[in-house]
């Protein structure tokens, strides 16, 4: 008897298919190398650069008779190593959510290829936006940024950050950097790659620029506001995939999207255009992290305004496309069905039927008998 070959042949080692199928295990091994480095004295100093948050500054504060030490952090070139490590962590978490949550739901729902990719995208982004929104909101409440908006520009430059805020920005940059290799790992369609590259690039540029220019407080508020609206959109899309009649979430998202754009512009102009303009600490000093000059302020405001205009343009095109599709569906459902004309045979049968009824009438039978 001939030996049967296995139907599922494993791809060659280090081939494209092998890397795509096992990318989570490969990345986990790389991350484990850094964690194992903490166990040995020779490599611990190197591993710490990747795992822990750098540039710690201890500030002593006196309250009454007690003196307490508070740890704050500032940014620097070593943050690139930390961002790289948490980019690896984001890839691992992405694979866990995909395999144990989204793939199981996809098998139950039997989505088409188009819906399958959109469902995966919304599922991943919903998890990220939910965590980022809740985490960012807790930082805003603990630091009293919402109750006192003047803290967004008072005391600029805000070079020192609490641990939670700095770690938040490290994770944000790590997550959006991980989205670049995920385009390869998830076999993203060529027509979807430009769209995803645009919004990944916008996130990275805005967060990185705000982090470097010490506009972290304003950036945190705007991120929480934006993530709240985006979370509603992707949850509404997930609900729409399960039941296409449930579209209330999209209506709520459309209203909140416009309000979020207006509020973003208002806070940006208030902070950069008025707050920093009237601040006492004016001038450019790279050593102290002060970038409060006219050119930087105009560039920041122009970038924010152009981004909001671009988002509104995309939003209007999206709504117009939805309205056209809805109008086409309504026209198809309301289009009257033309009545079928009787054929010649049916007409002939109808005439013969009338004649036969007339022949069978009592008067006709009486005339025949006479």
């Amino acid at each position: 008897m001939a030996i049967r070959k296995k139907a599922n042949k494993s791809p060659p080692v280090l081939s494209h298919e092998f890397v795509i199928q096992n990318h989570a295990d490969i990345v986990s091994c790389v991350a484990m190398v850094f964690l194992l480095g903490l166990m040995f004295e020779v490599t611990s100093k190197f591993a710490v650069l990747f795992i822990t948050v750098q540039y710690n500054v201890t500030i002593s504060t006196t309250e009454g008779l007690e003196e307490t030490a508070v740890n704050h952090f500032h940014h620097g070139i070593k943050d690139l190593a930390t961002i790289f490590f948490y980019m690896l962590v984001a890839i691992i978490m992405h694979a866990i959510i995909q395999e144990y949550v989204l793939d199981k739901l996809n098998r139950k729902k039997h989505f088409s290829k188009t819906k399958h990719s959109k469902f995966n995208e919304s599922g991943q982004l919903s998890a990220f936006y939910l965590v980022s929104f809740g985490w960012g909101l807790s930082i805003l409440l603990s630091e009293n940024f919402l109750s006192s908006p003047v803290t967004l520009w008072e005391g600029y430059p805000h070079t020192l950050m609490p641990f939670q805020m700095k770690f938040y920005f490290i994770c944000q940059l790590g997550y959006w950097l991980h989205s670049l290799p995920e385009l390869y790992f998830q076999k993203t369609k060529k027509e979807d790659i430009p769209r995803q590259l645009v919004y990944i690039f916008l996130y990275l540029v805005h967060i990185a620029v705000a982090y470097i220019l010490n506009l972290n407080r304003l950036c945190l508020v705007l991120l929480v506001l934006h993530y709240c609206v985006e979370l509603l959109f992707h949850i509404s899309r997930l609900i729409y995939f399960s039941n296409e009649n449930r579209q209330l979430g999209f209506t709520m998202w459309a209203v909140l999207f416009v309000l979020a754009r207006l509020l973003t512009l208002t806070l940006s102009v208030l902070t950069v255009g008025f707050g920093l303009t009237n601040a006492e600490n004016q001038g450019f000093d790279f050593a102290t992290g002060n970038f409060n000059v006219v050119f930087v302020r105009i560039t920041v405001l122009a970038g924010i305004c152009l981004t909001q205009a671009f988002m509104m343009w995309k939003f209007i095109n999206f709504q117009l496309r939805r309205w056209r599709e809805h109008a086409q569906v309504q026209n198809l459902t309301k289009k009257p069905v033309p009545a079928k004309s009787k054929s010649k045979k049916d007409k002939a049968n109808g005439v013969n039927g009338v004649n036969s009824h007339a022949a069978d009438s009592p008067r006709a039978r009486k005339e025949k008998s006479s």
Side-chain angles (χ1 to χ4, degrees):
M1 293 178 63
I3 300 175
R4 294 183 179 179
K5 295 182 180 180
K6 291 184 178 180
N8 297 326
K9 187 178 180 181
S10 59
V13 179
L14 297 182
S15 63
H16 288 286
E17 194 63 30
F18 177 85
V19 173
I20 290 173
Q21 289 182 6
N22 302 281
H23 73 274
D25 297 328
I26 296 172
V27 173
S28 298
C29 292
V30 176
M32 192 63 66
V33 171
F34 294 108
L35 294 174
L36 290 174
L38 295 173
M39 300 176 63
F40 305 99
E41 187 177 355
V42 178
T43 57
S44 61
K45 293 181 180 180
F46 177 76
V48 164
L49 295 176
F50 289 86
I51 299 172
T52 61
V53 178
Q54 302 298 310
Y55 301 105
N56 181 22
V57 177
T58 303
I59 300 176
S60 299
T61 57
T62 304
E63 295 181 2
L65 299 177
E66 295 183 358
E67 184 176 349
T68 58
V70 181
N71 292 325
H72 286 79
F73 300 83
H74 61 89
H75 61 75
I77 193 66
K78 294 180 182 178
D79 291 338
L80 295 176
T82 314
I83 292 170
F84 173 76
F85 178 78
Y86 286 98
M87 180 191 72
L88 301 180
V89 175
I91 293 175
I92 297 170
M93 296 303 299
H94 187 114
I96 292 173
I97 295 173
Q98 185 66 44
E99 182 175 355
Y100 294 100
V101 180
L102 298 179
D103 285 348
K104 291 183 178 180
L105 293 175
N106 278 319
R107 284 193 290 268
K108 289 182 180 179
K109 297 294 183 180
H110 303 288
F111 291 128
S112 62
K113 289 184 178 180
T114 304
K115 284 188 176 182
H116 180 82
S117 60
K118 290 182 178 180
F119 181 84
N120 289 338
E121 181 186 5
S122 291
Q124 294 286 349
L125 289 175
S126 295
F128 170 72
Y129 287 144
L130 179 62
V131 174
S132 298
F133 170 72
W135 188 6
L137 184 62
S138 67
I139 297 173
L140 292 177
L141 294 175
S142 63
E143 298 297 325
N144 297 321
F145 291 155
L146 295 180
S147 59
S148 181
V150 292
T151 55
L152 296 180
W153 61 83
E154 270 189 353
Y156 180 85
H158 306 131
T159 54
L160 297 180
M161 297 173 281
F163 170 78
Q164 288 291 335
M165 182 181 290
K166 174 159 185 177
F167 191 47
Y168 182 84
F169 280 101
I170 293 290
C171 292
Q172 292 295 313
L173 292 170
Y175 180 86
W176 291 113
L177 277 176
H178 111 281
S179 300
L180 296 174
E182 283 296 340
L183 297 176
Y184 170 71
F185 294 146
Q186 299 298 323
K187 296 181 179 180
T188 306
K189 296 179 181 179
K190 290 184 179 180
E191 57 268 21
D192 292 337
I193 290 178
R195 175 184 62 85
Q196 296 195 24
L197 283 177
V198 167
Y199 76 74
I200 292 171
F201 175 77
L202 287 174
Y203 276 115
L204 285 173
V205 169
H206 283 74
I207 296 174
V209 168
Y211 186 68
I212 294 172
L213 297 180
N214 295 312
L215 294 171
N216 40 67
R217 297 182 181 181
L218 175 63
C219 182
L220 180 62
V221 174
L222 298 184
L223 279 178
V224 170
L225 177 64
H226 178 71
Y227 285 164
C228 177
V229 179
E230 291 300 299
L231 175 63
L232 177 60
F233 171 77
H234 287 285
I235 290 178
S236 300
R237 192 156 76 163
L238 292 175
I239 296 173
Y240 173 77
F241 287 148
S242 61
N243 186 350
E244 295 186 355
N245 294 323
R246 297 178 180 177
Q247 300 188 22
L248 178 62
F250 289 115
T251 305
M252 296 173 59
W253 165 77
V255 176
L256 291 178
F257 184 89
V258 177
L259 293 177
R261 304 286 71 79
L262 294 174
L263 191 56
T264 298
L265 290 174
T266 303
L267 288 174
S268 301
V269 172
L270 184 64
T271 302
V272 181
F274 292 97
L276 295 182
T277 302
N278 299 322
E280 297 179 359
N281 197 2
Q282 300 282 337
F284 182 87
D285 189 353
F286 186 80
T288 60
N290 187 11
F291 302 95
N292 192 8
V293 292
V294 176
F295 175 76
V296 174
R297 291 197 300 266
I298 293 176
T299 304
V300 169
L301 277 178
I304 294 174
C305 292
L306 288 175
T307 303
Q308 302 307 306
F310 172 75
M311 294 175 68
M312 281 301 301
W313 177 69
K314 299 286 288 184
F315 171 77
I316 292 171
N317 288 335
F318 173 75
Q319 293 296 330
L320 290 175
R321 186 171 65 252
R322 282 191 64 210
W323 290 337
R324 290 195 199 101
E325 293 174 355
H326 182 70
Q328 290 176 359
V329 172
Q330 292 294 326
N331 290 335
L332 290 175
T333 55
K334 292 181 178 180
K335 191 175 181 180
V337 179
K340 294 183 179 180
S341 58
K342 293 184 178 181
S343 60
K344 293 181 179 179
K345 186 176 180 180
D346 294 336
K347 290 180 180 180
N349 291 334
V351 173
N352 293 335
V354 172
N355 293 335
S356 62
H357 283 296
D360 292 337
S361 62
R363 184 177 179 180
R365 286 197 299 269
K366 185 175 181 182
E367 291 176 355
K368 286 181 181 180
S369 60
S370 61

